[in-house]
Amino acid sequence: MDHLDAIDRHGLRGADHRILTALHARARDPRVAGAARALSWTGEHGALWLAAGLAGAAVDGGLRGAWLRGTALTAGAHLVSMAVKRVVRRPRPAHVEPLVRTAGRHSFPSSHAASATAAAVAFGALGVPAIAPVAAAMCLSRLVVGVHYPSDVAAGAALGALTVRLGARWMRTGGVHA
């Protein structure tokens, strides 16, 4: 082992492995594993968040446009994360046994975290703060099921928040200047 390997083992990559291993171990509890699998399944391709946004638009006529634009930003965050994956091409964790199948083999950033965080920020701005805990659970579920490193989830969450932040004015006004 050379000097750089020793540094890396104690650096970000080592921390990524240790944290993932610890959280993945929580899946020994069948209730935790079941909940993590369910969150992973409902978050595939941002489905839960897109459905929530469309439901919000359907029931909140006064903010229908903002709901639809927030949903579009959530979908955009998901699409951007998928594009970044194609560039970075980081493999999924190999040191733990995944509990779910994945749509792709690349790990960075987490698209589930990108869409979950985008939805939490966008829909939270529309008065639905209850989405944030579900989004946080979705992000953690990707570690419990063993398909992402913590840095993948953190990067996905940052990308989701940034996407909505960049589109915040459009979401509120639809681009119309008051």
Side-chain angles (χ1 to χ4, degrees):
M1 174 178 7
D2 68 14
H3 180 66
L4 292 176
D5 286 337
I7 290 170
D8 190 51
R9 191 177 73 235
H10 298 291
L12 179 59
R13 194 172 356 180
D16 253 0
H17 279 116
R18 288 189 304 276
I19 294 167
L20 172 58
T21 300
L23 288 171
H24 184 61
R26 298 293 301 144
R28 288 186 203 122
D29 181 332
R31 295 168 299 182
V32 172
R37 281 187 184 110
L39 284 166
S40 287
W41 181 78
T42 60
E44 198 63 48
H45 304 294
L48 174 64
W49 313 114
L50 299 177
L54 294 175
V59 299
D60 188 357
L63 293 174
R64 179 169 289 123
W67 275 101
L68 292 173
R69 289 185 294 276
T71 303
L73 289 169
T74 299
H78 184 80
L79 291 172
V80 169
S81 72
M82 290 173 42
V84 172
K85 279 184 193 212
R86 291 182 181 271
V87 172
V88 175
R89 305 178 70 81
R90 181 183 195 185
R92 293 198 184 268
H95 72 285
V96 295
E97 185 68 32
L99 301 180
V100 295
R101 295 185 65 161
T102 59
R105 56 182 194 262
H106 299 120
S107 182
F108 183 92
S110 167
S111 296
H112 278 69
S115 59
T117 304
V121 174
F123 304 155
L126 296 174
V128 188
I131 298 250
V134 178
M138 171 108 29
C139 290
L140 281 173
S141 78
R142 303 308 282 165
L143 303 171
V144 172
V145 299
V147 296
H148 283 291
Y149 293 104
S151 58
D152 301 334
V153 172
L159 180 86
L162 178 64
T163 300
V164 175
R165 177 64 187 118
L166 291 174
R169 184 175 187 184
W170 175 69
M171 190 180 126
R172 282 190 313 273
T173 66
V176 177
H177 300 286

